[in-house]
Amino acid sequence: MKTYRIAVLVAAAVLCVSSAHAQKPKVVILATGGTIAGAALKPTDPGYKSGAVGVDVLIDAVPQLKDIADVSGEQIASIGSQDMNDEVWLKLAKRVNELLASPDVDGIAITHGTDTLEETSYFLHLVTKSDKPVVLTGSMRPSTAMSADGPLNIYNCVAIAADPQARGRGVLVLIDDDIHSAHDVIKRHTTDVATFTSGEAGLVGVSLFGAQTWYRTPAQVHTAKSEFTIAADQATLPRVDIIYAHANMSPDLITAAAVNGAKGIVIAGVGDGNMTAPAWTELQRVAKEGVVGVRSTRTNGGITRRNIEVNDDQGGTVASMELNPSKARVLLQLALLKTSDAKKIQDYFNRY
Ligand code: DGL
């Protein structure tokens, strides 16, 4: 009888362990560098080296991750995100889609610098071919800092990637307990921990120590429903330059962008996507030569619509709608893989 009882207890223990392990979602962390992987000499040192710490160190620094998910890590890059480039974007997109195609993977968490996080997240928002959660995070203080914000951001990021309710909301960004859509999030402050905002669109949700409250699902087209695909042999993206408008703006930089191979130009316009008359004349001229011009706004707020103070129909230009200049550049790069027809590109800007 005693042997039987021991056998039952051992079987129960094995079942508990295996069922607990079996119940945890599989989340893969893809690391690219940034401040979240940064290191300084002292906890109060404002200066630091970005991307100095590897993904395994980041995971080991948050032992509580194993309570919420079956986590593994891969190092995609180790760069400050000011150096983010097409090569890393394409490598990241291909790896995300490869992992999410596996039934064993429930979600992806990506650690990234905050400088260009709004661009990388929106790029993935447009080319990820799954509705499983893809969640990016970063930090404003290095991993070695007093009150480092990275560990809790990683914990919440993985919790969202493991959350079935995160599915179908597009690529998300978690920073400082806030859950943003990749479509709307922008960095608005050089050093503030709460540096990200989603403006008029607002948050998708919030996360408190890994427990999410959801507010909305973004309306625009994204991820599994997107028409944009990264081919296996895609090695580069079309060159698109952003030119900042200002008082007394010269047309020379527009000319220079076209001469240097830009296939598209985004104007970070004053007000509602405006620029000086000489600049507008030059943008229309290069449009006739096949360089697609998109009018966005340097204000980082509001919607830049067609034919308000200038006539886009006559100018052959595109209005960026809700997209700020950095996101308009991403959508224009992908649109140019399909067409250089301004009317077809405007349709993409109206829907994505
Ligand atoms: N070098 C910047 C970057 O990697 C630091 C900013 C940060 O990650 O918070 O984006």
Side-chain angles (χ1 to χ4, degrees), residues 238-258:
R239 173 174 166 168
V240 174
D241 292 344
I242 299 174
I243 297 173
Y244 200 85
H246 52 81
N248 201 32
M249 178 185 183
S250 157
D252 294 355
L253 291 182
I254 295 170
T255 310

Side-chain angles (χ1 to χ4, degrees), residues 303-323:
I303 298 172
T304 305
R305 296 179 180 84
R306 289 182 72 77
N307 305 330
I308 301 296
E309 293 188 58
V310 293
N311 189 319
D312 293 294
D313 296 345
Q314 286 174 7
T317 47
V318 175
S320 71
M321 301 306 285
E322 305 100 283
L323 298 181

Side-chain angles (χ1 to χ4, degrees), residues 22 42 51 68 78 92 97 126 132 170 176 212 219-220 245 279 298 310 312 329 336 339:
K42 292 184 299 182
I68 58 173
S78 293
L92 194 54
N97 281 319
L126 297 177
K132 293 180 183 176
D176 196 33
Q212 281 66 250
Q220 299 84 4
R298 73 182 194 181
V310 293
D312 293 294
R329 173 178 172 273
L336 286 169
T339 179

Side-chain angles (χ1 to χ4, degrees), residues 9-79:
L9 285 173
V10 168
V14 168
L15 273 176
C16 281
V17 171
S18 58
S19 63
H21 183 73
Q23 281 163 356
K24 288 199 179 51
K26 170 70 176 165
V27 173
V28 180
I29 299 179
L30 302 179
T32 68
T35 297
I36 196 166
L41 295 176
K42 292 184 299 182
T44 53
D45 195 345
Y48 58 88
K49 178 167 174 20
S50 191
V53 169
V55 64
D56 292 336
V57 177
L58 294 178
I59 293 172
D60 292 346
V62 191
Q64 296 82 358
L65 288 176
K66 63 180 178 300
D67 302 334
I68 58 173
D70 172 11
V71 171
S72 62
E74 296 180 14
Q75 198 77 39
I76 298 292
S78 293
I79 57 174

Side-chain angles (χ1 to χ4, degrees), residues 94-241:
K94 290 169 188 173
R95 189 60 182 143
V96 164
N97 281 319
E98 193 176 33
L99 286 166
L100 292 183
S102 163
D104 301 332
V105 174
D106 297 292
I108 304 278
I110 298 172
T111 57
H112 192 290
T114 59
D115 286 0
T116 59
L117 198 152
E118 65 201 71
E119 298 169 56
T120 301
S121 60
Y122 186 57
F123 173 71
L124 293 172
H125 193 64
L126 297 177
V127 301
T128 297
K129 311 312 281 184
S130 169
D131 67 357
K132 293 180 183 176
V134 176
V135 193
L136 288 84
T137 195
S139 74
M140 293 303 285
R141 297 178 186 139
S143 61
T144 51
M146 185 185 296
S147 301
D149 50 330
L152 181 54
N153 283 348
I154 290 174
Y155 181 82
N156 286 335
C157 181
V158 168
I160 297 163
D163 185 343
Q165 289 195 65
R167 287 187 76 134
R169 297 182 196 264
V171 170
L172 301 171
V173 172
L174 177 282
I175 284 272
D176 196 33
D177 293 353
D178 289 341
I179 305 173
H180 300 266
S181 169
H183 180 272
D184 306 301
V185 69
I186 58 175
K187 184 174 182 179
R188 60 161 189 84
H189 195 278
T190 55
T191 55
D192 210 342
V193 169
T195 182
F196 284 95
T197 179
S198 285
E200 294 171 337
L203 296 176
V204 172
V206 291
S207 181
L208 184 63
F209 295 113
Q212 281 66 250
T213 302
W214 297 102
Y215 297 148
R216 68 182 181 99
T217 296
Q220 299 84 4
V221 180
H222 56 72
T223 56
K225 295 187 174 63
S226 170
E227 300 153 79
F228 301 109
T229 302
I230 294 299
D233 61 352
Q234 193 80 39
T236 60
L237 294 169
R239 173 174 166 168
V240 174
D241 292 344

